[in-house]
Amino acid sequence: MLKARVMPLKATLMALSVAIIWGVNMLTVKGAVGEIPPFMLTAIRFGAVAALLIPFARMPRGRMGKLAIISAVFGTFHFGVLFYALSMIDAGPVAIIVLLGVPFSSMLATYFFNDRLGWKRLSGMALAFIGVIIMFWDPTMTDLQLPLLLVVFAAFMWAVANVMIKKLGDIDTFQLNGWMALMAAPQLFILSLIFEPHAFQAVMNASWVAWANLSFTVVMSSIVAYGFWYHLLKTQDVNVVVPWSLLAPVISVFGSFIVFGEAFSVLKIIGGAVVLCGVGVIMLRKPVQRKTQGMD
């Protein structure tokens, strides 16, 4: 089997930048939801992304219906629910548990794209889920089972959205992000009106720090990091690019300890390490088509 080629310096720096941005982004969102209610925050985020990208993205005619469904799955049920969970739970565990989106994606790929998992990737999936269960057992998480389950749900919605985007076919990144954001924003505004009656007052009273956190999420995470990421996936070996994303939760965990003083515990550390190992195994194994003999 051929070894994956090493990325050039420029691509390596881009991959490192993406990991850092995504790792810091979890902290900025955590800081922002402390002042702005989560559904309203997510709505403003998507509204800002749409405003920045729509002028440069033509309407993807013939795909608007599918994009509308993706906007609900990815925008509302992934990001909306994830931000809601972040308003109730520490950023560190969220950054780890949301990685379940990787094994969920592998599971869905076996059905929708005729992929065979193989025993190594199955082992990675098992490790990832075992790690999350260990984190659930932590005594400090006893009263946080609902937000933890919401993070698991958000991870599954991320996997579902990935399948839908892949089935959508070739589409410009600005078109995808811009028009999806435009349709997601009203959904989240409605949810905010229903469940967050004081949201507008909170927005008016939010500090410059909250707005700076939100600006980082909109510009650096939604546009810059994803722009770099899609470029790397198109120009570099996927098996070399994808493992860089595992740095993001590590940065989030240590950042949450430094910035928010979030406590470490033995079960959190063990569970997080097991999840990272499991997801790493999945990411480093190429999917095997069912027609191929043998297992990976």
Side-chain angles (χ1 to χ4, degrees):
M1 184 175 66
L2 294 175
K3 293 183 178 179
R5 62 187 179 88
V6 178
M7 290 194 298
L9 178 60
K10 181 180 178 181
T12 300
L13 292 176
M14 289 177 68
L16 178 60
S17 299
V18 171
I20 293 173
I21 291 171
W22 281 347
V24 173
N25 181 64
M26 188 67 69
L27 307 179
T28 62
V29 173
K30 177 62 178 177
V33 295
E35 297 189 44
I36 302 175
F39 292 137
M40 177 59 74
L41 178 71
T42 319
I44 296 173
R45 169 189 170 160
F46 280 121
V49 170
L52 291 171
L53 295 184
I54 288 297
F56 306 99
R58 293 181 300 172
M59 179 182 292
R61 300 187 183 280
R63 297 179 174 181
M64 294 300 289
K66 293 180 179 179
L67 277 177
I69 299 174
I70 293 173
S71 73
V73 174
F74 193 53
T76 300
F77 294 126
H78 170 64
F79 278 108
V81 171
L82 183 65
F83 284 18
Y84 181 71
L86 266 173
S87 68
M88 298 183 286
I89 191 175
D90 290 345
V94 172
I96 297 294
I97 295 172
V98 78
L99 288 175
L100 285 180
V102 175
F104 280 141
S105 294
S106 293
M107 293 169 61
L108 293 175
T110 63
Y111 179 80
F112 289 101
F113 303 117
N114 205 34
D115 291 341
R116 191 197 313 184
L117 291 174
W119 69 269
K120 290 183 179 180
R121 295 173 74 225
L122 281 170
S123 299
M125 291 171 61
L127 281 175
F129 286 110
I130 289 171
V132 170
I133 292 172
I134 292 173
M135 296 178 71
F136 270 59
W137 280 347
D138 189 287
T140 62
M141 300 292 187
T142 302
D143 298 326
L144 299 171
Q145 299 299 304
L146 175 59
L148 288 172
L149 290 173
L150 289 176
V151 178
V152 174
F153 174 80
F156 181 72
M157 288 295 102
W158 179 83
V160 173
N162 280 343
V163 171
M164 297 178 68
I165 291 171
K166 187 170 183 178
K167 292 176 74 69
L168 195 62
D170 188 29
I171 184 172
D172 180 76
T173 302
F174 279 9
Q175 284 183 314
L176 173 63
N177 287 345
W179 288 96
M180 187 275 293
L182 183 66
M183 290 184 279
Q187 302 169 37
L188 289 152
F189 273 122
I190 293 172
L191 287 176
S192 181
L193 289 173
I194 296 172
F195 297 107
E196 300 166 345
H198 304 295
F200 284 103
Q201 182 180 353
V203 169
M204 298 300 296
N205 295 330
S207 69
W208 70 268
V209 176
W211 289 108
N213 286 333
L214 178 57
S215 298
F216 183 94
T217 298
V218 170
V219 177
M220 298 304 296
S221 178
S222 299
I223 298 177
V224 175
Y226 274 103
F228 282 179
W229 189 249
Y230 290 137
H231 172 75
L232 289 170
L233 291 178
K234 289 180 180 178
T235 59
Q236 304 297 321
D237 190 317
V238 174
N239 279 358
V240 176
V241 173
V242 171
W244 281 91
S245 64
L246 290 179
L247 282 178
V250 176
I251 293 170
S252 296
V253 169
F254 283 101
S256 64
F257 171 74
I258 295 171
V259 176
F260 302 114
E262 295 180 3
F264 284 109
S265 69
V266 174
L267 288 180
K268 281 183 182 179
I269 295 172
I270 294 175
V274 172
V275 172
L276 287 171
C277 289
V279 172
V281 171
I282 297 169
M283 286 183 168
L284 291 171
R285 301 306 304 173
K286 292 183 178 180
V288 179
Q289 298 299 318
R290 292 187 186 278
K291 293 181 179 179
T292 303
Q293 298 297 318
M295 304 184 79
D296 63 340

